[in-house]
């Protein structure tokens, strides 16, 4: 079985490395290791570099604008050359262009589309009328292209699946939750904090408004006795605070083992990979419950997961509770083991391959 993977990050010119991109850099090589013949066509960025280093047959192919007819033509040409059994498109721009590229085929190649987000959630939380109108145009175009080029749809969370069914009228949505990374440590025994050490709260994700990172400086001001470490990259500047440190891109597993709690202040979230990773290592998570966060943290509610309104004051109150005593080491270990098993990487690979085979 031959699968062509298509992904172009930031079709409007913005480059990013979020949860969806991180998962692709591990999922595609994993398919190759299990006997699937894979070909990847992605932007020449972190995703492309990771796939090349993993030895995946790779072609530099990315959209330069929101609607890039040249990119669609290149995709059509690549499909004719590669002759895949399945084309798998990830994220909105690749999905739109792949549908356009394959709409004129005589013999239709099975197409799978995964958006990794809810366009309606982006629209509802847009910061301006202009942004809202742009997202609405994406919704309209996405639904039109679905009718022009039918395909299989994968959602990464129950939330995303419900959004597609209820708000988009999309039928037959396949649910394949995102997994933990392929090489992810087992839950470690909880270490008793050193007396007098300042607690450390971490943030890991894209530095964008939809992720709520604009709330972090004021949140740090609300908790002057707590140190904040903000990991990730993006377009939103973060105001300086004495107890807030920007650490850039980091190794996620190492980062979580150096913080006492994770804060996820997202306004938009289809899944919540950083929350999953933290919980699987027994790290408490304070989150807003946006989108897929509610279901990802559901099993840890009342133990390692606390929900708060997306305001600095509410998040600060929840962090004080999460950093205090209350959850035993045994409870942490039990919750962490459940997440490690439920979201195991190999289970995700099996689900994807079963879908590909059902389409061929």
């Amino acid at each position: 079985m031959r699968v062509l993977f298509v992904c172009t990050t930031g079709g409007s010119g913005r480059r990013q490395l979020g949860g969806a991109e991180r998962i692709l850099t591990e999922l595609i090589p994993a398919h190759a290791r299990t006997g699937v013949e894979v070909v990847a066509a992605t932007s020449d960025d972190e995703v492309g570099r990771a796939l090349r280093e993993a030895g995946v047959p790779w072609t530099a192919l990315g959209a330069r604008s929101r609607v890039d007819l040249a990119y669609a033509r290149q995709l059509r040409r690549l499909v004719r050359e590669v002759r895949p059994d399945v084309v798998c498109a990830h994220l909105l721009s690749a999905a739109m262009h792949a549908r356009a590229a394959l709409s004129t085929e005589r013999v239709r190649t099975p197409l799978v589309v995964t958006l990794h987000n809810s366009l309606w959630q982006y629209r509802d939380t847009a910061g301006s009328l202009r942004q809202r109108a742009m997202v609405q145009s994406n919704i309209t175009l996405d639904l039109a292209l679905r009718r022009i080029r039918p395909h299989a749809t994968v959602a990464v969370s129950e939330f995303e699946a419900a959004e597609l069914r209820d708000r988009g009228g999309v039928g037959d949505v396949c649910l394949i939750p995102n997994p933990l990374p392929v090489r992810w440590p087992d839950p470690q025994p909880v270490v008793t904090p050193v007396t007098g050490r300042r607690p450390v709260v971490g943030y890991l994700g894209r530095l964008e408004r939809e992720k709520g990172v604009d709330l972090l400086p004021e949140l740090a001001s609300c908790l002057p006795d707590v140190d904040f470490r903000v990991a990730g990259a993006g377009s939103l500047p973060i105001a300086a605070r004495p107890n807030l440190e920007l650490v850039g891109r980091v190794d996620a597993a190492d980062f979580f083992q150096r913080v006492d709690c994770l804060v996820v202040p997202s306004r938009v979230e289809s899944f919540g990979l950083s929350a999953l990773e933290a919980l699987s290592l027994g790290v408490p998570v304070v989150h807003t419950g946006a989108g897929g966060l509610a279901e990802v943290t559901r099993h840890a509610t009342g133990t390692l997961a606390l929900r708060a309104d997306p305001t600095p004051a509410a998040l600060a109150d929840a962090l004080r509770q999460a950093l205090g005593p209350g959850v035993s080491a045994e409870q942490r270990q039990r919750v962490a083991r459940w997440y490690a098993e439920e979201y195991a990487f190999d289970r995700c690979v099996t689900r994807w391959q079963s879908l590909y085979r059902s389409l061929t």
Side-chain angles (χ1 to χ4, degrees):
M1 180 171 57
R2 181 181 299 162
V3 181
L4 172 62
F5 292 91
V6 180
C7 179
T8 177
T9 57
S12 60
R14 185 178 74 173
R15 293 290 177 257
Q16 62 189 39
L17 185 67
E21 291 87 356
R22 286 175 55 201
I23 288 166
L24 279 180
T25 61
E26 297 194 333
L27 193 59
I28 296 174
H31 286 311
R33 289 193 297 270
T34 56
V36 176
E37 188 177 352
V38 303
V39 179
T42 75
S43 306
D44 191 3
D45 52 15
E46 289 93 342
V47 175
R49 182 165 56 252
L51 294 176
R52 290 197 303 272
E53 291 174 354
V56 171
W58 173 84
T59 297
L61 204 58
R64 296 185 178 182
S65 60
R66 185 164 168 265
V67 177
D68 188 340
L69 297 180
Y71 175 53
R73 287 194 297 269
Q74 290 169 331
L75 277 178
R76 186 182 301 116
R77 188 180 306 119
L78 182 63
V79 170
R80 290 170 179 169
E81 293 173 358
V82 173
R83 300 179 66 182
D85 297 300
V86 178
V87 175
C88 191
H90 290 262
L91 299 174
L92 179 63
S93 183
M96 287 185 172
H97 287 91
R99 286 181 290 212
L102 301 180
S103 62
T104 58
E105 287 182 301
R106 291 184 179 179
V107 179
R108 290 195 165 181
T109 304
L111 173 63
V112 182
V113 164
T114 311
L115 295 185
H116 295 273
N117 63 53
S118 160
L119 295 175
W120 295 274
Q121 191 183 32
Y122 272 95
R123 183 191 64 186
D124 295 344
T125 59
S128 67
L129 289 176
R130 180 177 178 274
Q131 291 173 345
R132 184 181 177 88
M134 181 173 290
V135 178
Q136 180 58 52
S137 70
N138 282 338
I139 292 172
T140 303
L141 182 57
D142 178 69
L143 294 179
L145 286 170
R146 285 178 184 274
R147 290 191 291 270
I148 293 171
R149 181 48 163 95
H151 55 75
T153 298
V154 172
V156 299
S157 64
E158 296 170 6
F159 164 76
E160 185 188 356
E163 291 278 273
L164 288 165
R165 287 192 298 262
D166 300 341
R167 303 180 79 171
V170 179
D172 196 22
V173 179
C174 179
L175 175 63
I176 304 181
N178 288 330
L180 288 164
V182 60
R183 296 179 184 85
W184 194 247
D186 294 328
Q188 300 297 313
V190 177
V191 178
T192 303
V194 177
T195 303
R197 182 180 70 82
R198 289 168 60 91
V200 177
V201 170
Y203 168 87
L204 175 64
R206 293 188 289 112
L207 305 187
E208 305 292 346
R209 181 186 176 279
E210 63 261 29
K211 297 301 183 181
V213 293
D214 54 303
L215 303 175
L216 294 179
E218 189 174 345
L219 178 57
S221 296
C222 292
L223 297 171
D225 56 340
V226 175
D227 290 329
F228 286 78
R229 292 178 185 160
V230 178
S235 63
L236 191 69
I238 308 299
R241 292 293 187 275
N243 59 331
L244 188 153
E245 179 185 7
L246 301 177
V247 298
R249 287 184 175 149
V250 297
D251 177 85
D254 180 68
F255 180 78
F256 289 128
Q257 292 170 348
R258 296 174 184 270
V259 301
D260 300 300
C261 183
L262 178 75
V263 62
V264 188
S266 299
R267 298 181 176 94
V268 171
E269 200 70 72
S270 65
F271 184 77
L273 182 59
S274 64
L276 167 63
E277 291 174 335
L279 291 171
S280 75
L281 295 176
V283 177
V285 174
V286 169
H287 65 96
T288 59
L293 277 172
E295 68 191 74
V296 168
T297 58
R298 185 185 302 149
H299 186 78
T301 298
T303 52
L304 292 185
L306 293 174
R307 183 170 178 171
D309 291 336
T311 67
L315 290 167
D317 287 343
L319 283 171
R320 291 188 188 98
Q321 184 179 346
L323 293 169
V327 180
S328 68
E330 291 76 14
Q331 284 179 304
R332 290 196 182 199
Q333 285 287 92
R334 186 162 56 249
V335 171
R337 283 195 296 269
W338 185 89
Y339 277 99
E341 294 172 3
E342 182 69 17
Y343 292 91
F345 185 83
D346 289 345
R347 292 185 65 183
C348 180
V349 173
T350 300
R351 288 171 176 172
W352 274 106
Q353 292 187 7
S354 295
L355 174 62
Y356 298 148
R357 291 191 176 93
S358 72
L359 296 174
T360 57

